[in-house]
Amino acid sequence: MKKLMIASAIALMCFSANAFAEDDGYGNDIPTAREEGTVDDGYGNKLPSSGESEFKSFTDARSSSNGNSQSRQLNIGGHFGFGLGTYWDYPTQLGSNEWFGLAFDLGGVLKYRVNDMLAVVPELNIGFIHSSRKVAEGYWYGGYNINETRLLVNLNIPVTARFTPVPYAYLEAGLRMNFNFATGHSLDASDQSTGQTFDSEDLDTWEVKTFVPSVVAGLGGTIKVKNHEMDLGLRLNLDVSGIQKDNKFYGMEDNSKIWNIQFVLNYYLY
């Protein structure tokens, strides 16, 4: 009888131990002994202790979301700009400002990241500005217009500071140095119905200043195309100095300045 009671007690103890053991739902016991200050998943894989942060810092989270942590500090690529504009500060003695201009830039761009939110972006471009206005019209075997046309070719160097307040969107502002080296000036006769030019006559050389400074401001966004960054944006170019070399004639002062708004595309090859 005594032996039977001892055997029953031992069996009860084993049953109680099994009853309080944790398992993973598949009959596998989860270890009960864990190191102090840590928690594991029951299979020896350590989980963060209460002293470790479960959340990334704002900087880390922002870097992960915008991908800048994976981006180069220095990018080199090509620049394309195309837009519309005209003159400002145009002398009233010459009548209303009816000039209409097309602005085209082509060149290279460099982007240097100071940090995740700030970059310096210089460019080197060849620029073309084509401006025209209607000075007369008539009729001869159909209607025609007489337009005065100006062409300006320059080397321009914009340098902007780019601020990226949210991932892949930016604001920019800076200065642009324009070095003018070629001009054209003509009268063109064009058909009113088709706009096709059928006659042109060169006028006196349009003399402009060699150096004209501008201010630059814009906004845009950056996308990834085949693992290369590409900027798409809009930019205002505003001259702060008159374009005319000899700006005083017939008692009048001509301080005409050029402005245009361009669509900008930068594609970074490196």
Side-chain angles (χ1 to χ4, degrees):
M1 185 68 178
K2 184 177 181 180
K3 293 181 179 181
L4 179 61
M5 292 178 65
I6 293 173
S8 299
I10 293 173
L12 181 61
M13 290 173 62
C14 293
F15 176 77
S16 299
N18 289 333
F20 287 97
E22 296 178 327
D23 64 54
D24 59 2
Y26 299 95
N28 301 314
D29 290 345
I30 296 177
T32 58
R34 296 170 180 173
E35 297 180 10
E36 185 178 355
T38 65
V39 179
D40 62 50
D41 60 1
Y43 300 97
N45 299 315
K46 184 179 176 181
L47 299 178
S49 64
S50 59
E52 297 180 9
S53 173
E54 297 182 10
F55 302 97
K56 296 181 179 179
S57 68
F58 174 78
T59 302
D60 292 339
R62 187 181 188 282
S63 297
S64 298
S65 63
N66 65 19
N68 282 350
S69 60
Q70 303 299 323
S71 299
R72 298 179 184 271
Q73 187 175 23
L74 179 67
N75 295 100
I76 300 174
H79 169 84
F80 170 79
F82 178 78
L84 307 175
T86 183
Y87 295 101
W88 71 280
D89 201 9
Y90 191 75
T92 57
Q93 296 92 327
L94 295 178
S96 61
N97 183 6
E98 296 179 349
W99 291 93
F100 174 78
L102 300 175
F104 174 80
D105 287 333
L106 183 65
V109 58
L110 183 151
K111 178 165 61 177
Y112 176 77
R113 287 184 176 86
V114 179
N115 53 46
D116 284 349
M117 300 184 69
L118 180 65
V120 178
V121 185
E123 300 168 14
L124 178 62
N125 304 312
I126 296 292
F128 303 86
I129 298 177
H130 181 277
S131 302
S132 65
R133 65 173 178 176
K134 186 171 71 173
V135 295
E137 61 182 352
Y139 187 88
W140 184 67
Y141 297 106
Y144 65 89
N145 294 325
I146 303 295
N147 297 318
E148 181 182 2
T149 301
R150 291 175 175 176
L151 175 66
L152 176 67
V153 185
N154 65 25
L155 178 71
N156 63 73
I157 307 174
V159 180
T160 61
R162 179 176 294 186
F163 178 61
T164 308
V166 295
Y168 296 113
Y170 67 83
L171 302 172
E172 64 176 0
L175 300 175
R176 188 173 87 162
M177 297 168 284
N178 306 289
F179 299 93
N180 304 314
F181 61 84
T183 62
H185 194 194
S186 64
L187 283 179
D188 304 307
S190 60
D191 187 278
Q192 285 184 347
S193 59
T194 64
Q196 183 177 1
T197 299
F198 59 83
D199 192 17
S200 181
E201 178 183 350
D202 289 336
L203 299 176
D204 294 339
T205 301
W206 180 32
E207 296 188 356
V208 299
K209 294 179 181 177
T210 302
F211 173 70
V212 176
S214 305
V215 293
V216 177
L219 53 84
T222 302
I223 61 175
K224 284 287 186 78
V225 179
K226 296 182 178 179
N227 293 323
H228 291 276
E229 290 188 3
M230 184 169 69
D231 298 332
L232 299 173
L234 289 175
R235 174 185 292 176
L236 170 66
N237 300 307
L238 182 71
D239 288 356
V240 294
S241 178
I243 189 71
Q244 299 285 152
K245 184 176 183 179
D246 183 11
N247 66 340
K248 295 181 180 179
F249 50 93
Y250 301 110
M252 178 187 65
E253 188 171 350
D254 184 358
N255 291 316
S256 301
K257 306 170 182 66
I258 296 175
W259 70 270
N260 54 69
I261 295 178
Q262 288 188 344
F263 165 77
V264 172
L265 186 153
N266 297 326
Y267 185 77
Y268 299 96
L269 301 173
Y270 171 83

